[in-house]
């Protein structure tokens, strides 16, 4: 594989704009990590007209490879927000082909350390997805749309699994349940019970909603630490618009309504009414409960 890709990566290695080159090779016949290619070549550059380019190649021995050329800012956004999970695995597990000034070496160490501030952001992102999916599952159950509720429960369990992995200080991988089995048996058993249950669908969903409400409630305060710390920077109540338009919350702004509603429901936030020009109409604002 490497001999076919050598002309490609050597050209980039000689460019001062290139920070590092990583090769991820397929280790089994069906590999989601390499997106079913025999190899992935990740080329990290400082800047480029196109922030991310991807090219597919096929070689004379019928093997294939994908080459991704990505700028450092885009790669870091993927890492911080789970924008492209497989790229994180390529960095962690891939073989370093070229490393300018130990850039890739330091990046790998950073990923292993998973700094707390980045972890708090990732927890907020996954918790937002979890709460939104869980709320949709409850609504679907109450309207007797059991098959759709069943699907939403599976999504919710997946987000819960990713949250559990982050809590333990690791980046979630594509094969997240393999990680969870090793580090959080409570969440793994919940998943097993759901997919292996012989209860009829209505009862299965009912039991899972109860179990998940307990687990989510117990993890809520630590999961929304990122948002609580932002809201704690001032004593005045926050409007939804103020929170939604902050650069710091942009990564989970689409799920912010669900997060805020859940925090109010669980007593982490208190609502405050602020008079408007309309009689009997108030702005609804939020403060952290003391």
């Amino acid at each position: 594989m490497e001999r076919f890709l050598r002309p490609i990566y050597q050209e980039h290695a000689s460019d001062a704009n290139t920070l590092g080159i990583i090769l991820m090779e397929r280790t089994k016949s069906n590999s989601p990590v390499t997106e079913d290619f025999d190899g992935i070549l990740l080329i990290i550059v400082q800047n480029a007209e196109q922030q991310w380019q991807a090219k597919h190649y096929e070689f004379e021995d019928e093997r294939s490879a994908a080459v991704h050329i990505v700028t450092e800012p885009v790669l870091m956004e993927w890492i911080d927000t789970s924008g492209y999970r497989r790229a994180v695995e390529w960095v962690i597990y891939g073989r370093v082909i070229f490393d300018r000034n130990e850039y890739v070496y330091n990046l790998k160490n950073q990923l292993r350390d998973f700094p707390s501030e980045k972890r708090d952001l990732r927890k907020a992102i996954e918790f937002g997805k979890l709460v939104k999916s869980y709320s949709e599952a409850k609504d679907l159950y109450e309207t007797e749309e059991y098959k759709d509720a069943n699907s939403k429960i599976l999504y919710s369990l997946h987000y819960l699994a990713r949250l559990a992995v982050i809590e333990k200080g690791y980046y979630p991988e594509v094969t997240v349940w393999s990680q969870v089995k090793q580090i959080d048996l409570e969440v793994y058993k919940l998943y097993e019970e759901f997919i292996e249950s012989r209860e009829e669908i209505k009862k299965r969903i009912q039991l899972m909603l109860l179990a998940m409400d307990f687990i989510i409630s117990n993890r809520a305060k630590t999961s929304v630490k990122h948002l609580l710390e932002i809201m704690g920077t001032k004593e005045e109540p926050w409007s939804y618009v103020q929170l939604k338009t902050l650069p710091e919350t942009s990564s989970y702004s689409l799920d912010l309504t669900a997060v805020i509603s859940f925090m109010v429901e669980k007593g982490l936030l208190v609502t405050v009414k602020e008079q408007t020009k309309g009689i009997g109409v108030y702005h609804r604002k939020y403060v952290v409960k003391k």
Side-chain angles (χ1 to χ4, degrees), residues 16-20 44-48 51 70-74 100:
N17 189 45
T18 301
L19 295 171
I44 308 163
V45 298
Q46 289 178 314
N47 50 69
Q51 298 291 296
V70 61
T71 61
E72 181 185 21
V74 169
R100 189 180 301 281

Side-chain angles (χ1 to χ4, degrees), residues 102-270:
E102 296 190 328
Y103 173 83
V104 179
Y105 173 81
N106 292 326
L107 181 58
K108 281 176 175 281
N109 284 337
Q110 179 185 326
L111 288 173
R112 292 189 188 99
D113 294 340
F114 205 171
S116 59
E117 63 277 6
K118 292 193 175 186
R119 200 182 311 170
D120 289 340
L121 173 60
R122 286 294 299 276
K123 283 192 289 186
I125 292 170
E126 296 301 334
F127 189 76
K129 294 175 182 177
L130 168 60
V131 169
K132 188 174 183 179
S133 182
Y134 169 72
S135 299
E136 290 172 348
K138 284 201 299 183
D139 290 341
L140 289 164
Y141 172 77
E142 289 166 5
T143 56
E144 300 183 0
E145 299 288 350
Y146 299 128
K147 289 183 179 178
D148 289 315
N150 188 78
S151 296
K152 286 295 180 181
I153 288 286
L154 283 172
Y155 278 118
S156 302
L157 285 167
H158 186 74
Y159 295 134
L160 180 60
R162 291 170 60 76
L163 181 62
V165 171
I166 294 165
E167 286 175 343
K168 300 296 184 181
Y170 301 99
Y171 282 86
E173 298 171 7
V174 177
T175 53
V176 68
W177 286 109
S178 297
Q179 288 179 287
V180 175
K181 189 175 183 180
Q182 302 298 319
I183 62 180
D184 196 320
L185 272 178
E186 180 187 28
V187 173
Y188 186 79
K189 289 293 184 184
L190 197 68
Y191 172 70
E192 268 195 335
E193 287 170 14
F194 185 68
I195 62 173
E196 295 176 5
S197 173
R198 295 185 179 180
E199 296 276 5
E200 54 99 12
I201 189 169
K202 179 181 177 180
K203 186 67 174 179
R204 181 167 75 242
I205 294 169
Q206 181 187 36
L207 293 172
M208 188 55 57
L209 287 172
L210 289 171
M212 288 192 70
D213 183 72
F214 177 76
I215 289 179
I216 295 171
S217 297
N218 283 347
R219 295 170 184 254
K221 192 168 185 178
T222 56
S223 298
V224 296
K225 181 182 176 184
H226 185 262
L227 184 58
L228 289 173
E229 288 185 347
I230 290 171
M231 296 182 71
T233 58
K234 70 171 188 174
E235 295 184 2
E236 296 81 11
W238 290 82
S239 71
Y240 171 72
V241 172
Q242 287 174 317
L243 290 169
K244 187 178 184 299
T245 54
L246 287 171
E248 295 89 339
T249 64
S250 61
S251 300
Y252 54 95
S253 60
L254 294 177
D255 302 316
L256 188 58
T257 298
V259 172
I260 290 174
S261 296
F262 188 85
M263 292 170 73
V264 171
E265 179 188 337
K266 299 303 178 182
L268 296 173
L269 296 182
V270 177

